[in-house]
Amino acid sequence: MSKIQIIPLGGVRESGKNLYAVEVNQSIFVLDCGLVYPEGEMLGIDYVIPDFSYLEENKERIVGIFLTHGHADAVGALPYLLEVVDAPVFGTEFTIAIASITAKAKGLGDRLENFFKIDEKMEIEFEDAQVTFFKTTHSIPDSVGIVIHTDEGQIVYTGDFRFDAGATPLYQTEFGRLTDIGEAGVLALLSDSANAESSFENVSDLRVLDEIVETFSNADGRVIVACIGSNISRIQQVMDAAYHTNRKIFFSGTELYDIVDTALKMDKIKIPSRRILGQIKQLNTTPDEEVVILETGDVGEPLKAVEAMCRGQHRQVKIKEGDLVYIASTPSLAFETTMARIKDQVYRCGATVQEITDHISTSGHASQTDLKLMLNFLRPKYLIPVNGEYRMQNAHAVLARQLGYKDEQLLLPALGDVIELHQGVLQITKQVEAGDVLVDGIGVGDIGSVVLRDRRILSEEGIFIVVATISRRLGRVLVGPQITSRGFIYVKENIEILQTCSTMTLDTLDKHLASDNFDWNELKQDIRDQIGRYLYQETKRRPVVLPIIMEASSYQMPNE
């Protein structure tokens, strides 16, 4: 009997940051390695990645890292894992190309020789298990699900998926393969839950194309399309729609987003004609009704570019009266406020805004019907909803109960929970270290809750700086205090507050200089407390109070 453990180190009770460790005897199979982009309150943070502590502690047992697709929620954190773990990486041709881009960006180009391309027909034999793959439908080509074959049954990870009978060959699901997997016996299914709450069915990609064509046809002026660069299928639909409506495409920016550029080079995107406007001069001389401007980027970048176009700060394009701004990707909830602000700015420019979701429901993730269909195909003994916040995981479990699954067959783990097979039963038995690691510039994990709290206070309440120079030998204040405020109050209109704070600082300094038990930390804390209380009493605000107290190494009394 094989020893089996399934450990979600990311991707549960949260959307994105997928990372799942499957242990079969002494072998660890790592499924995906993604990141998430920070929410608004994480000021200055670039990315949030999983905590790799457990994998680093057991790195000698990792036999491979297996990737389902090329989105950041599946491959974005891979370079950070490769810095602490040396293991082979497996993915489809396009996924490996995207993973290679992220690795090179982190200076890990020498590790690419350990990246291996797979396809849906490949079988990889390891000492403790066999790994196979099956094609899935998602918004990026070459997406696959992963199957780990063990003596106790198969463990299946869907990755991000949906079903679409009208998908093009590049995006089609292998329905026959799903049937075969189900008939062979599935112990556990780790299934995408990101869209489990929605009661709306996804429309076919054919209907999406018709919607975009209709939008372009009804637009009297230019159409400016904002689309996430990793949504390759949507970009293809925009190009096809431009061709069908006799519009020329202008790629905004000097270069395409890396993923789009790679897709073009690998023929994963097909430009249906050579009607490309390569220079800004061509754009300006082409009739507005014949133009589509495609703005791509990562997450919120297309929206930020549209905002720059509204303000006249974009290098190439300025939104003008008669333009239609078409949001061709579904913005996340974190960008709702940004979206509302940008819409207002677009209308101020005399243009209009339309979202693709205004008339149709479309998502790269499985609908409720899709999730039920996947369960019926695979008939797993246990369902583990993943890639979703807890309410999404719970909604997925509700769907499974409708199909006859019992509560003991539904496992909704938290990060770090160890799901272990014991006497034929899967159950949560213990926990390992897991959580979020914040990436800020070149710093990884050196930003904690205290720093984030200070950043938030600085952004909301401002800073109040008190500077003074003292001499403990002479027992007196030599210079200052000088007071500076940023983001707190308008100094010229609050002279009395500054004068009072200056007097309070002098009194506090004199008191501590006269003490036999002088302590720097106590001095600074005393200044923070007294000034903080006074400022709150006068303004009902709590700025960061920063006392900078210096000691003169030598001081000569001036001549009287």
Side-chain angles (χ1 to χ4, degrees):
M1 179 178 291
S2 298
K3 178 184 178 182
I4 293 176
Q5 293 187 156
I6 301 170
I7 309 173
L9 298 172
V12 294
R13 307 196 181 190
E14 61 184 0
S15 294
K17 197 160 67 68
N18 294 293
L19 176 62
Y20 312 97
V22 177
E23 299 189 21
V24 183
N25 296 327
Q26 290 302 306
S27 300
I28 298 179
F29 301 82
V30 178
L31 309 181
D32 278 344
C33 188
L35 56 75
V36 292
Y37 294 91
E39 297 178 353
E41 64 267 20
M42 291 188 178
L43 300 171
I45 300 302
D46 298 320
Y47 315 112
V48 182
I49 64 175
D51 185 339
F52 300 132
S53 298
Y54 180 77
L55 295 179
E56 188 174 2
E57 292 169 3
N58 296 275
K59 59 185 177 182
E60 300 301 327
R61 297 198 289 128
I62 298 176
V63 298
I65 303 167
F66 303 85
L67 307 175
T68 59
H69 64 287
H71 283 163
D73 65 348
V75 304
L78 180 63
Y80 300 97
L81 177 59
L82 293 179
E83 288 182 334
V84 296
V85 168
D86 186 9
V89 178
F90 301 90
T92 56
E93 180 184 30
F94 189 58
T95 301
I96 287 295
I98 302 307
S100 299
I101 291 173
T102 62
K104 289 177 182 176
K106 284 287 292 180
L108 298 173
D110 58 325
R111 302 289 293 276
L112 299 185
E113 61 183 19
N114 218 17
F115 284 27
F116 300 97
K117 298 176 185 177
I118 58 92
D119 59 39
E120 69 278 6
K121 298 178 182 179
M122 187 172 292
E123 300 176 359
I124 307 176
E125 294 283 352
F126 296 93
E127 181 179 350
D128 293 309
Q130 180 190 66
V131 179
T132 61
F133 310 88
F134 58 94
K135 286 183 65 177
T136 58
T137 301
H138 192 40
S139 58
I140 191 170
D142 282 7
S143 297
V144 294
I146 300 170
V147 184
I148 300 176
H149 303 257
T150 77
D151 295 339
E152 309 301 325
Q154 300 170 105
I155 298 170
V156 180
Y157 171 46
T158 66
D160 295 355
F161 83 97
R162 72 187 191 99
F163 293 133
D164 182 2
T168 60
L170 194 61
Y171 295 89
Q172 288 174 352
T173 300
E174 293 181 289
F175 292 100
R177 178 88 171 92
L178 290 176
T179 301
D180 293 340
I181 294 170
E183 291 179 350
V186 176
L187 172 64
L189 171 63
L190 285 70
S191 184
D192 180 11
S193 307
N195 202 32
E197 283 186 306
S198 175
S199 60
F200 296 101
E201 291 299 319
N202 292 322
V203 301
S204 169
D205 278 346
L206 295 176
R207 176 67 183 89
V208 174
L209 177 59
D210 290 342
E211 170 69 19
I212 299 175
V213 168
E214 183 178 353
T215 299
F216 287 6
S217 298
N218 293 333
D220 296 326
R222 302 184 305 178
V223 180
I224 300 171
V225 179
C227 182
I228 296 176
S230 58
N231 194 339
I232 302 299
S233 64
R234 186 74 73 249
I235 293 172
Q236 181 67 70
Q237 291 162 346
V238 169
M239 292 183 176
D240 291 342
Y243 173 75
H244 289 308
T245 55
N246 294 314
R247 287 179 179 262
K248 299 179 178 66
I249 297 177
F250 177 76
F251 296 114
S252 179
T254 56
E255 295 180 359
L256 283 175
Y257 180 55
D258 283 341
I259 292 180
V260 180
D261 193 29
T262 301
L264 283 167
K265 291 176 180 177
M266 298 180 65
D267 207 27
K268 301 299 182 181
I269 289 180
K270 299 181 184 296
I271 300 178
S273 76
R274 303 309 302 173
R275 294 165 62 85
I276 304 296
L277 301 175
Q279 299 178 355
I280 191 67
K281 182 179 180 180
Q282 292 175 295
L283 173 65
N284 294 333
T285 57
T286 303
D288 289 351
E289 65 274 12
E290 297 180 12
V291 171
V292 170
I293 299 171
L294 180 58
E295 177 65 50
T296 63
D298 209 355
V299 192
E301 289 176 3
L303 296 179
K304 293 177 182 177
V306 170
E307 188 172 26
M309 293 176 187
C310 293
R311 296 177 175 177
Q313 297 173 347
H314 195 277
R315 290 188 301 170
Q316 296 172 302
V317 179
K318 178 176 174 58
I319 291 178
K320 62 183 181 180
E321 187 172 353
D323 286 346
L324 168 65
V325 174
Y326 189 54
I327 311 298
S329 297
T330 306
S332 67
L333 294 176
F335 283 91
E336 282 188 343
T337 303
T338 302
M339 189 68 191
R341 183 183 71 246
I342 292 173
K343 281 184 177 181
D344 186 72
Q345 294 177 4
V346 170
Y347 281 103
R348 287 172 182 264
C349 294
T352 56
V353 180
Q354 184 175 325
E355 296 183 59
I356 194 169
T357 52
D358 287 345
H359 302 112
I360 59 175
S361 175
T362 177
S363 170
H365 300 276
S367 67
Q368 293 183 349
T369 299
D370 293 341
L371 295 174
K372 290 180 180 179
L373 190 56
M374 181 64 82
L375 285 168
N376 283 325
F377 271 124
L378 298 181
R379 303 189 300 276
K381 186 176 179 180
Y382 293 93
L383 170 65
I384 305 173
V386 297
N387 189 24
E389 297 176 8
Y390 183 80
R391 67 180 190 279
M392 301 170 186
Q393 294 177 268
N394 186 67
H396 198 166
V398 169
L399 297 174
R401 291 190 188 97
Q402 295 173 4
L403 297 180
Y405 279 81
K406 307 300 182 183
D407 287 347
E408 57 267 23
Q409 294 176 279
L410 307 172
L411 301 171
L412 279 64
L415 289 178
D417 280 352
V418 178
I419 304 171
E420 189 170 4
L421 183 67
H422 181 67
Q423 295 183 349
V425 177
L426 274 181
Q427 53 190 341
I428 298 173
T429 58
K430 56 185 177 181
Q431 270 200 333
V432 300
E433 186 174 352
D436 293 339
V437 173
L438 308 182
V439 179
D440 185 2
I442 62 172
V444 179
D446 58 348
I447 302 295
S449 58
V450 174
V451 175
L452 288 179
R453 182 200 63 194
D454 287 346
R455 289 183 179 182
R456 185 176 66 253
I457 294 174
L458 286 169
S459 70
E460 295 173 351
E461 307 286 358
I463 188 170
F464 196 84
I465 305 172
V466 180
V467 182
T469 301
I470 64 173
S471 171
R472 284 192 290 170
R473 182 174 64 84
L474 299 176
R476 58 179 290 188
V477 178
L478 304 179
V479 180
Q482 297 173 331
I483 296 178
T484 304
S485 171
R486 290 291 183 271
F488 172 53
I489 55 175
Y490 186 51
V491 174
K492 291 184 178 179
E493 295 182 357
N494 293 275
I495 297 298
E496 290 184 6
I497 290 179
L498 299 186
Q499 290 176 341
T500 301
C501 288
S502 179
T503 301
M504 292 173 64
T505 302
L506 281 173
D507 292 343
T508 303
L509 290 171
D510 289 340
K511 181 183 73 173
H512 281 266
L513 286 170
S515 173
D516 294 333
N517 298 312
F518 183 91
D519 184 277
W520 285 101
N521 291 329
E522 290 182 5
L523 168 62
K524 292 179 180 180
Q525 190 60 50
D526 198 0
I527 293 174
R528 289 191 196 98
D529 292 343
Q530 293 196 43
I531 291 182
R533 283 195 297 268
Y534 171 72
L535 292 177
Y536 182 77
Q537 177 184 334
E538 295 296 320
T539 67
K540 295 297 183 285
R541 294 162 63 187
R542 301 184 188 275
V544 173
V545 178
L546 180 62
I548 302 175
I549 312 300
M550 300 169 287
E551 183 173 18
S553 56
S554 63
Y555 183 78
Q556 183 175 351
M557 296 291 291
N559 293 327
E560 297 274 335

